[in-house]
Every structure is written in C-alpha cells, then in structure tokens.
Amino acid sequence: MSDGYISLVNGGLGAKVAKTLGLPRPSVLRRFTEGAPLTAGPVLVLGATTGTGEDSDILAQLLMSTGFAAADLEVHRTVVGTEHVPWGAVVLVLTEVTHPDDLSAPALDLASTLRSLAPGGRVVTVSRTATADDAPAVAAARQGVEGLLRSVAKELRGGATANGVVLTDDVDLAAPSVGAALRFLLSAKSAYVDGQTLTVGSAAGSAVDWSSPLDGRVAVVTGAARGIGAAIAETLARDGARVVVVDVPAAGESLAAVANRIKGTALQLDITAPDAGERIIEHAVSRHGSIDIVVHNAGITRDKLLANMTPEKWDAVLAVNLAAQLRIDDALMRSEHFTDAPRIVSLASTSGIAGNRGQTNYATSKAGVIGMVRSTGRLMAKVDGTANAVAPGFIETEMTARMPFATREVARRLSSVQQGGLPIDVAEAVAFLAGPAAGGINGTTLRVCGQNMVGA
C-alpha cells in the first residue's frame, strides 16, 4: 500500500538517475499535520481588471479576518516588492468577468506568479456559475474559467494543485460555505484534489471552530473495518465527532479495533438488510443521543466483462453499492432524529464518471450514487441538510495493492500529481463535506483523484 517509487526519485542517487533518464518524478504531497500553517507561504489575491474590483478586496479581507480560522495568513494584493516570494497560494477572483476578453489580464497576471509558487502551493479560482440564462458572452467567460483552472492544474509541479470555488448568482462572497471551500482547497487537506470545482449554491451553513469542526456531532460510517472506511472514521473522530462504525459481522474483530481506537461504538450489520436504516438510527440515538452524519462508504466489486457477467455478480454490486444506500437514506429522511442540519456523504468513484473496462456493474452503481445525491440533496435541503458524494480515483489500499504491477504503475502515474492517493485524502474530503460550514454545497460530487486523466 505504499509507493516506494516516490521515495526513490526524491533523494540521492535515485533522483539523479530519474532526472537523467527523464523518468516521472512525483513530489511528496503536502498533507495535514496538527499545528502546521494553513498554506505553504503568503497568499496573493489577484482579480479581474474589469468590474469594480470589490470582490477581490472582499476575498482578501476574508482571508485576513480572524473568522478565517485564525489562520494568521500573510495576504498580498500585488506582487510589487515581493517578486521572489515563494507564494503559498494564489487566489484568482473572477466573479466579475462578463466577457472572454476579461480573462486575458488576470490569466497573464497568474502566469507571472506560477514560477514563484512554493512546493505544495495552491491556485484557487473564485468565479460564478455559467447558466443557460446568462448572456452568451457572460456564460462564455464564466465557463472559460473552468478550462483555465483545469489546464493550470495539469501544468503545475512540485505537488501544487489548482481548484475552483464556483458561486451561483444568489450567493454572497460572505456565505459560510465560500470561506469553508476556500479554506479546504488552500489547505493540505485537499492534497489529492486537483483540477476540480466546488459549487456553493446557497447561503446555508454555519461558522465553526476549525480546531474541532464536528464537535457535538454524531456520525455513522459504513464499511469502516479497514481501508478508506477506517480512515474516514478516524478523521471524523479527529475533528470532534462521536462515531459509530458499521461493517459486516465477518469483519467484527477489525471493526471493534477501529471503534476502540477512536472511542466510538461498533455495529455489526449487513447494510442490505431491509431494516438496516432503522437499526443504524436506533444504535446511534440510544448510544450517543442523536445521528447527524451518515457516510455511505461500504461497497464491493465483482468485476467481469459484461459479456461474462452473471446475474449474481451484477445484483450483488448494485444491492450493496446503491440499493442499500437508497433504503437507508429513506429511513433517515423519515426519522425525527435526522433533522438537525444533517449530512449524507456517499462514496462514488471515477469509474462512475468515466467507466472502466470490466466494471460495468460497479460503474453503474457508482454513477447511480452521483445521481442519487443530486436528487437527495434537494430533499435534504428542507431540513438544512445536504447530500454529496466523493469520487475517489486510484487510492493506495489493500485492493489496489493486489493489482498487477504494470497496471498499478500506469494507474498511479496517469494523474496530474503522478501518484495514487491515500485513504486519508478521501477521508479529508468527506470530513469537509460533513461539516456544518459546508451547508451551501449540496447535491454535488467532488473528485479526489489527483486530476486523473480519465473522465471529465
């Protein structure tokens, strides 16, 4: 489950050999550690030269405010006098563009800073959504931002990433989820999120103590006995939640170990049982007093080419990966206990976006998850809740460690950061979407794939 190649090419003789031979040299990604600065250096806020420029000032003020998590950021509005500063991040505010011509100056301003971006640095665009109701020039300019940031993400090196925060027209820059999304994308918690956008669609959400953003919340994580599920449970507990870990009885020993490690409780349960939702609610409420967050992580694969697919393999994957979630969500939304700004986060997959040879059943189920959260989010909004999904790409787990060597190496290197992600990368994205501050992000799917080259 480790990528020894990264260590080999980042030091000593291995680095020299890789450089001489022109081999890929993926960087060690900057990941969250307690007490570390939010960014790898000062933050530069750039804006469009059109419009009033007020939005750029507002974002700069937000980054310097104590409400921005006491991050104590050093924020600059120009590069004057700081030409050689290794920028920890560049925030490009493009909310006021109304024509493609408006993108020229800020894009070139950004270009002048990229060689001064620190290792593990961040580029974040802030823009408005393009809709069919916009004038053609406005829609072109707004949509153009997405192509800009995705291409910049593929050009960055040194473990740096580029992502975007996209606001609908009715959302103010001061909305809680704008700051929360900006903070997540600037931080080391988004190490394996690259070339992606987070859409803030409402002013919902609330400010939190970022040292313990899930304090007082009760979370349930399915498939939590090992791997990504265990990492999610540990991360939610780190952020202050009391956690119920769920898995099948056959994984009982591993499940108990996770529960003990995070001081949570374990529930041995087959999530395909007709009453699984009711049993999850009953356990969480009786043992912890409430249920606020449910993470649908449990999933299985039964890979076969469709020509060789059996009904048993097809039905098993759809039953666990999708039908069980629908049934549990239905129970949650009928429950009086799941009404305090609740959060649902489901695990999708890039296979559900791009498809994958030999995984028609799995890709169908994961694409279904993406559609499911889009619809469920609308229903959850009635109780100030959200439903979102995280779509991992190649993640270093026991499952991917069993892949043939050549296939695994290709999968690792076909991303902008030239390596696989870790379970903690998925867990950080889940924890962000499960938090109170992310209430304005609803019905979306966030890819955690290092901008893998497949799919959208």
Side-chain angles (χ1 to χ4, degrees):
M1 289 187 289
S2 64
D3 186 352
Y5 180 79
I6 294 178
S7 301
L8 179 67
V9 299
N10 276 286
L13 180 62
K16 294 179 180 176
V17 171
K19 186 176 181 179
T20 301
L21 297 179
L23 298 174
R25 297 179 63 199
S27 298
V28 177
L29 300 183
R30 182 172 65 94
R31 291 189 167 89
F32 174 79
T33 55
E34 194 71 39
L38 182 68
T39 60
V43 179
L44 175 64
V45 179
L46 299 174
T49 55
T50 54
T52 65
E54 290 181 356
D55 284 0
S56 303
D57 293 335
I58 291 171
L59 258 295
Q61 289 296 323
L62 173 67
L63 292 170
M64 290 187 288
S65 70
T66 54
F68 200 77
D72 196 23
L73 294 176
E74 180 183 336
V75 179
H76 296 260
R77 289 285 282 113
T78 70
V79 296
V80 176
T82 58
E83 288 84 355
H84 303 295
V85 167
W87 298 109
V90 180
V91 178
L92 192 61
V93 185
L94 300 170
T95 46
E96 297 182 84
V97 298
T98 58
H99 191 280
D101 289 349
D102 300 340
L103 296 173
S104 176
L108 296 176
D109 286 345
L110 172 64
S112 69
T113 69
L114 294 181
R115 287 191 174 85
S116 300
L117 199 62
R122 299 286 185 264
V123 173
V124 181
T125 60
V126 181
S127 60
R128 295 283 179 185
T129 52
T131 72
D133 294 331
D134 294 329
V138 174
R142 291 177 171 183
Q143 192 68 40
V145 175
E146 189 168 326
L148 166 67
L149 86 87
R150 287 181 186 274
S151 297
V152 168
K154 291 181 177 180
E155 294 180 5
L156 297 178
R157 293 294 179 265
T161 63
N163 294 287
V165 181
V166 183
L167 289 64
T168 55
D169 278 335
D170 58 341
V171 172
D172 189 87
L173 287 167
S177 290
V178 176
L182 194 54
R183 177 185 172 86
F184 173 69
L185 295 175
L186 288 173
S187 76
K189 293 181 177 180
S190 62
Y192 202 59
V193 179
D194 199 13
Q196 306 304 308
T197 59
L198 274 169
T199 298
V200 180
S202 80
S206 56
V208 296
D209 174 359
W210 286 104
S211 66
S212 188
L214 299 180
D215 187 36
R217 308 294 279 176
V218 175
V220 175
V221 183
T222 67
R226 60 178 61 84
I228 292 174
I232 292 170
E234 290 164 356
T235 304
L236 297 181
R238 179 204 69 188
D239 285 353
R242 287 168 288 161
V243 182
V244 178
V245 290
V246 179
D247 216 315
V248 293
E253 189 173 339
S254 299
L255 189 68
V258 174
N260 290 336
R261 201 157 59 238
I262 63 174
K263 297 180 173 57
T265 57
L267 173 62
Q268 296 183 18
L269 175 69
D270 179 351
I271 61 167
T272 63
D275 63 344
E278 287 78 9
R279 291 177 62 185
I280 287 172
I281 295 168
E282 191 280 330
H283 178 100
V285 173
S286 65
R287 299 293 295 273
H288 301 284
S290 65
I291 178 168
D292 308 300
I293 300 163
V294 171
V295 181
H296 292 298
N297 167 73
I300 63 172
T301 57
R302 297 289 186 271
D303 296 350
K304 280 287 182 184
L305 293 176
L306 185 58
N308 301 324
M309 185 65 66
T310 65
E312 292 76 17
K313 291 183 186 297
W314 179 277
D315 291 343
V317 169
L318 270 292
V320 174
N321 295 4
L322 190 55
Q325 292 191 34
L326 286 165
R327 196 160 43 244
I328 292 170
D329 286 352
D330 184 55
L332 290 168
M333 287 185 283
R334 285 187 281 105
S335 172
E336 62 178 332
H337 300 290
F338 200 62
T339 56
D340 180 17
R343 301 280 186 266
I344 294 173
V345 185
S346 295
L347 269 289
S349 168
T350 53
S351 293
I353 298 170
N356 206 14
R357 177 181 165 84
Q359 288 197 314
T360 51
N361 51 357
Y362 184 75
T364 300
S365 71
K366 293 303 185 180
V369 166
I370 293 170
M372 178 184 70
V373 299
R374 190 184 305 131
S375 176
T376 304
R378 176 175 51 83
L379 303 175
M380 292 285 287
K382 297 174 182 176
V383 289
D384 294 328
T386 65
N388 292 290
V390 170
F394 182 90
I395 304 297
E396 304 283 356
T397 64
E398 293 178 4
M399 183 180 73
T400 54
R402 292 194 292 269
M403 293 170 65
F405 173 79
T407 304
R408 185 170 65 246
E409 278 302 297
V410 170
R412 279 172 168 162
R413 308 306 163 209
L414 281 180
S415 73
S416 293
V417 291
Q418 300 180 307
Q419 59 194 281
L422 302 179
I424 185 63
D425 299 324
V426 180
E428 295 286 15
V430 169
F432 163 67
L433 292 171
I441 301 168
N442 195 9
T444 67
T445 296
L446 175 64
R447 287 171 55 175
V448 181
C449 64
Q451 200 182 24
N452 195 285
M453 302 302 182
V454 298

